[in-house]
Amino acid sequence: MTRYRLSGAVMTHPQRQAAAERLARSAPPGALRVVMDPDPAGKPSVLRTALCAWEAIEDGATHQLVVQDDMILSDTFFERARMAIAEMPDAALALFALWDSRNGAAVRFGAMAGARWVGSVNEYFPCVAIILPREVASGFAAFGRRHLDSWPDDILMNRYLRAHGIPSYVSVPSLAEHEDHGSISGNAFRGPRRSVCFLPQDVPGREGARLTGLRVLPFFKQGVAQCAVRTVPADARAPHALQAPDAGRWLHLDCEQYLEGSGVRIGRQQPAIVRMAEATTPEAARGAWLTAFTMGFVHQKDGLRCDPTTGDPGDAPGPDAVPDPAVLAEALATVGPGGISYAQAEERIAQQRDELARITRAGLDAGRDAAERTRPPGRSRSTPTDVHRADVHRADVHRVAIVDGAGTPLGEHLVRGLTDAGHHVTTLTRRPTGRPPHALLDLTPLALPPTTSPNSNPNSNPTRTLTLELPAPATKFTLHLGDLYGPGCPHDSRIGRLVWDALRSYPLTLDDPAETLRPLHTRDLVTALSLLLRTPPPEPVIGLADAQITAAELAEAIRTAVRPVPLAPPEEAARATPETTAWPPSPPGWKPVTELRYGLHTHAQWLAYEGIHLVLEV
């Protein structure tokens, strides 16, 4: 008799009771019970119903399964679930991952390595079909009740699992698929939400084949080839040292920046298969190809393979760790559709699927070839992709020392961005005495508390300034920064406060909708700093910002990019004083290129997946 017993619940709302009952009837008798929203007339809340589902675990059960009512289960769902519990009894198990997510990217690497499970990565933890050990389910329910009406359940789940060091895995392939019959909780604006890889007749077995410790995750989302890169602590460079849920932080980059930092310049080159695309758009074709190119590059360069079966880092993987062709084909076929799902209907996506799959395959092969070409002669072993350095022998390399702030989340993104752009970056904890031999960038002002609201001080419009010193000729430049936003930026800044509220489905409150801001995205700041290091400007005072916008325009962009929350009626308040001094000139040849909507999307992702761990207590 097995040591483990699984009970299960389908969480639902009265509007979807019939769907929940059909799902329960499709399972083995007694496997799933329907759990209803305890306050169906209240504000829509997945978390409220999920907590009831976790608390509905049966007496004597060691694990609880919770499934949302709009899921389709694979034919072997319960067989694989029970085998996985026996293999990983102390772990949280997600049985679904979205096609445009970071966890979906991890699943694709798992499919390429022949894994059946991949270690979850720092994102949300998928909760539409999930299994927790009894003690973990109980602990999360208590934690969630302290945070009702705040964050979505999957964000809170990731926070809870990471804080408690609970091993967490995602299935390869997914054991459930999303039916997408509309969203009561307000997620319909995201477009079709399909699995990264769903095979209804997946054959159970080999549940011990796992892939963990991923460092680089290329994924196609919001029409952009993005890349999450894990920062590696100095004492965590040994093989498999990054398996702990809380090992290192993640930087939010794009694929092109990551590749450039790895010595691969894509530029404007368009492979023939991208140029000749007919069914899809040039942007979708290039995005899918670039994402797949980065996948192939990382897979080949890192030599990704399943974890040793014995748990010994020096042991070899099991003999059965070979890719399943059907799983791999489906995982690759969803790269393109996932990347365009935010803006296109399912019917139109289906028309492009086959062509995008061919483009993805071509990109994957090209990336593998590029990794082989960039491997140093005589080196047979792969080099971890997080180990990147500027080529100090290049003629256009400039050395820069960063003072203070380099260890902050924003500082980490700036250091990485400048390094990927080809600069040799060192970090200092204090300013050196005398004239520095190389360029010196003081980030101290970025470590100070930000202004918390666009309207917090109507009589001033504070501007942060950085100091950049160049050695030849010896010149000091003052850089006036606009309102920073994007990866690494805090939740309580002028823009961050509104993004933070939208993430939690709170109304956006503007005291003065006419107040003006000057957005400056993290990536645009990096490109400006890189340009200044290479080409000193003629003026000693420089302004770095995008065009002015009003607080009302910012709020509308946030409602589009993050979540369509309502606007709270403005309260009577003193009007902000208009700017009385002219904004300094921008560096010659520099122009912000980050589109506001996409920039806000990246800021929201960073706050939800990284920033929350710096703020929310468990």
Side-chain angles (χ1 to χ4, degrees), residues 250-253 257 406 408-420 486-489 522-523 526 606 610:
W250 290 84
L251 301 180
H252 293 209
L253 315 178
Q257 176 190 337
T408 65
L410 178 56
E412 288 176 341
H413 279 85
L414 296 182
V415 169
R416 176 78 190 218
L418 289 173
T419 304
D420 285 342
C489 294
T522 305
R523 292 171 188 167
V526 168
W606 190 86
E610 302 291 333

Side-chain angles (χ1 to χ4, degrees), residues 475-529:
T475 313
K476 180 183 291 188
F477 297 94
T478 300
L479 313 180
H480 289 251
L481 307 184
D483 295 283
L484 280 169
Y485 75 113
C489 294
H491 75 289
D492 51 359
S493 66
R494 285 153 58 89
I495 295 177
R497 178 184 67 85
L498 297 177
V499 174
W500 190 255
D501 283 349
L503 282 168
R504 298 175 296 161
S505 298
Y506 290 0
L508 302 185
T509 302
L510 303 175
D511 295 334
D512 181 7
E515 185 192 9
T516 58
L517 300 90
R518 295 180 180 272
L520 175 62
H521 192 267
T522 305
R523 292 171 188 167
D524 291 323
L525 175 57
V526 168
T527 61
L529 293 173

Side-chain angles (χ1 to χ4, degrees), residues 233-250:
D235 58 350
R237 293 192 180 275
H240 298 274
L242 289 180
Q243 294 181 3
D246 201 27
R249 288 202 289 249
W250 290 84

Side-chain angles (χ1 to χ4, degrees), residues 9-18 20-21 33-40 45 48-53 56 69:
V10 182
M11 49 180 285
T12 192
H13 184 278
Q15 293 181 19
R16 300 247 282 259
Q17 183 173 353
E21 291 174 345
R33 294 186 295 168
V34 174
V35 174
M36 196 70 64
D37 184 345
D39 183 17
S45 171
R48 181 176 61 229
T49 310
L51 297 180
C52 294
D69 56 28

Side-chain angles (χ1 to χ4, degrees), residues 30-338:
L32 292 173
R33 294 186 295 168
V34 174
V35 174
M36 196 70 64
D37 184 345
D39 183 17
K43 176 183 176 182
S45 171
V46 174
L47 177 62
R48 181 176 61 229
T49 310
L51 297 180
C52 294
W54 290 121
E55 293 169 339
I57 187 169
E58 297 175 6
D59 293 341
T62 59
H63 292 74
Q64 176 74 339
L65 162 69
V66 172
V67 183
Q68 292 187 7
D69 56 28
D70 54 354
M71 303 302 292
I72 302 172
L73 308 185
S74 71
D75 297 345
T76 57
F77 180 96
F78 286 94
E79 188 175 357
R80 274 206 69 189
R82 291 190 173 95
M83 293 174 70
I85 290 171
E87 186 70 36
M88 301 168 283
D90 300 321
L93 303 175
L95 313 178
F96 171 93
L98 274 173
W99 53 6
D100 65 348
S101 66
R102 289 165 172 75
N103 279 303
V107 167
R108 291 190 179 100
F109 277 138
M112 294 168 70
R116 298 291 272 167
W117 297 87
V118 292
S120 68
V121 298
N122 198 40
E123 192 181 34
Y124 54 85
F125 190 73
C127 287
V128 295
I130 176 178
I131 295 171
L132 294 181
R134 186 182 195 100
E135 296 77 11
V136 178
S138 175
F140 175 74
F143 169 68
R145 294 212 174 274
R146 297 197 300 272
H147 296 282
L148 278 171
D149 297 324
S150 62
W151 289 92
D153 64 329
D154 49 10
I155 296 289
L156 289 177
M157 182 66 74
N158 181 54
R159 178 71 184 108
Y160 182 81
L161 297 175
R162 176 169 167 172
H164 289 278
I166 296 165
S168 308
Y169 299 96
V170 184
S171 64
V172 184
S174 294
L175 306 188
E177 178 60 290
H178 211 279
E179 281 197 282
D180 261 347
H181 290 324
S183 175
I184 294 176
S185 59
N187 287 319
F189 74 99
R190 301 188 189 281
R193 295 164 288 159
R194 296 299 185 188
S195 162
V196 60
C197 178
F198 178 65
L199 297 177
Q201 297 178 335
D202 177 57
V203 178
R206 299 191 306 106
E207 305 303 330
R210 298 191 290 270
L211 175 66
T212 60
L214 294 171
R215 303 168 186 262
V216 181
L217 294 166
F219 60 102
F220 189 27
K221 186 172 186 176
Q222 294 279 313
V224 177
Q226 303 182 46
C227 193
V229 178
R230 197 177 221 173
T231 60
V232 185
D235 58 350
R237 293 192 180 275
H240 298 274
L242 289 180
Q243 294 181 3
D246 201 27
R249 288 202 289 249
W250 290 84
L251 301 180
H252 293 209
L253 315 178
D254 58 48
C255 287
E256 224 166 325
Q257 176 190 337
Y258 164 75
L259 290 169
E260 184 174 355
S262 300
V264 179
R265 283 181 169 78
I266 297 296
R268 295 182 179 273
Q269 63 174 286
Q270 294 279 1
I273 194 169
V274 172
R275 295 195 306 270
M276 297 171 64
E278 297 178 350
T280 191
T281 65
E283 295 79 14
R286 178 170 170 77
W289 184 89
L290 183 55
T291 304
F293 181 99
T294 312
M295 288 168 54
F297 182 86
V298 171
H299 182 265
Q300 191 73 13
K301 193 165 186 281
D302 276 9
L304 297 180
R305 60 181 188 174
C306 289
D307 300 346
T309 54
T310 64
D312 179 0
D315 194 11
D320 295 330
V322 294
D324 181 320
V327 173
L328 180 57
E330 179 63 18
L332 295 178
T334 61
V335 171

